[in-house]
Amino acid sequence: MSLTSGMERAWFRLRLWGALACGQRTLASALVQRRLDRHPADSHALATQAHLLYLAGDRTGAIGRLTQLVGQVPGNAQAWFNLGFMHEEAGCIDRAEAAFRRATELAPGLDRAWYGLGLCLIRLQRFDEAAEALRRNTALQPMNPFGWYQLAHVQLERRQPEEALRILQHLRRFDPRVAAQLERETGLGATPT
């Protein structure tokens, strides 16, 4: 990379950051499009354009840009995670599962990808696999109650109420609000009258 191209990239990012910081999405979109017209393979510009399209409500456009990005930079775990998120929102669960799996292969420590994978597997009613994905998520992010909450529901689906009850007791220790919601929804921990 030459000094000129490095400075050009830095100037683009600075102007883009300024536009976004000032809430000028239209200007940011124009800057990104100009950058992509000159440098169609700029991964930062592609990721930014996908984000801007998502914010504008154009899920199809965002998926298209992320698909282009993972085609150009197949080792970008964050791009695969974002693509999985977009596919999940669009209701394309099989595609979301594949993208989340790729993200976890590339970055096994990406806890959000394990959580997304778990949610996809729940929707596909593959509860044993969902339990494993959610266990990976909770191991990486032990203080996030949502992975535990989903894991308790999965354990109930797997007919493992004692495991679900252990999760509820664990949740009570660090997030009583989510624990109470889980108890209301499932009847776990309720004392018989």
Side-chain angles (χ1 to χ4, degrees):
M1 173 173 50
S2 71
L3 180 61
T4 305
S5 65
M7 289 176 61
E8 179 186 339
R9 180 179 295 131
W11 177 240
F12 160 70
R13 290 183 180 190
L14 181 63
R15 290 176 55 209
L16 179 62
W17 179 85
L20 291 171
C22 293
Q24 297 178 342
R25 282 192 200 154
T26 304
L27 175 58
S29 292
L31 288 169
V32 169
Q33 189 56 57
R34 269 187 258 141
R35 177 75 182 169
L36 287 171
D37 289 344
R38 294 182 69 202
H39 306 280
D42 185 311
S43 60
H44 182 263
L46 284 169
T48 303
Q49 189 170 58
H51 179 72
L52 291 170
L53 289 166
Y54 173 77
L55 292 176
D58 182 357
R59 306 300 194 262
T60 303
I63 288 171
R65 283 303 190 196
L66 286 170
T67 301
Q68 184 180 353
L69 177 58
V70 298
Q72 289 177 199
V73 189
N76 185 330
Q78 187 61 48
W80 282 104
F81 167 78
N82 289 336
L83 183 59
F85 174 78
M86 293 289 169
H87 278 310
E88 183 182 18
E89 270 206 353
C92 301
I93 304 306
D94 290 333
R95 290 180 181 176
E97 177 196 356
F100 285 134
R101 280 195 190 281
R102 186 67 183 129
T104 62
E105 290 165 5
L106 292 167
L110 188 57
D111 60 288
R112 296 169 300 160
W114 288 108
Y115 183 74
L117 178 59
L119 294 181
C120 288
L121 293 166
I122 289 169
R123 288 181 67 181
L124 294 168
Q125 297 187 351
R126 290 166 38 201
F127 299 115
D128 290 340
E129 291 174 78
E132 183 55 35
L134 292 168
R135 280 191 202 104
R136 296 289 298 265
N137 168 259
T138 56
L140 292 165
Q141 193 60 262
M143 296 306 288
N144 184 338
F146 304 110
W148 292 107
Y149 168 87
Q150 293 295 340
L151 184 55
H153 277 285
V154 166
Q155 295 297 21
L156 289 173
E157 290 290 344
R158 296 176 70 221
R159 295 179 178 26
Q160 301 286 328
E162 52 293 328
E163 285 297 315
L165 184 57
R166 275 195 278 279
I167 292 168
L168 172 65
Q169 292 163 347
H170 176 71
L171 270 172
R172 282 181 181 151
R173 290 192 291 271
F174 76 94
D175 197 323
R177 181 186 54 83
V178 173
Q181 179 181 344
L182 180 62
E183 192 169 356
R184 279 191 307 275
E185 291 174 1
T186 63
L188 278 172
T191 51
T193 55

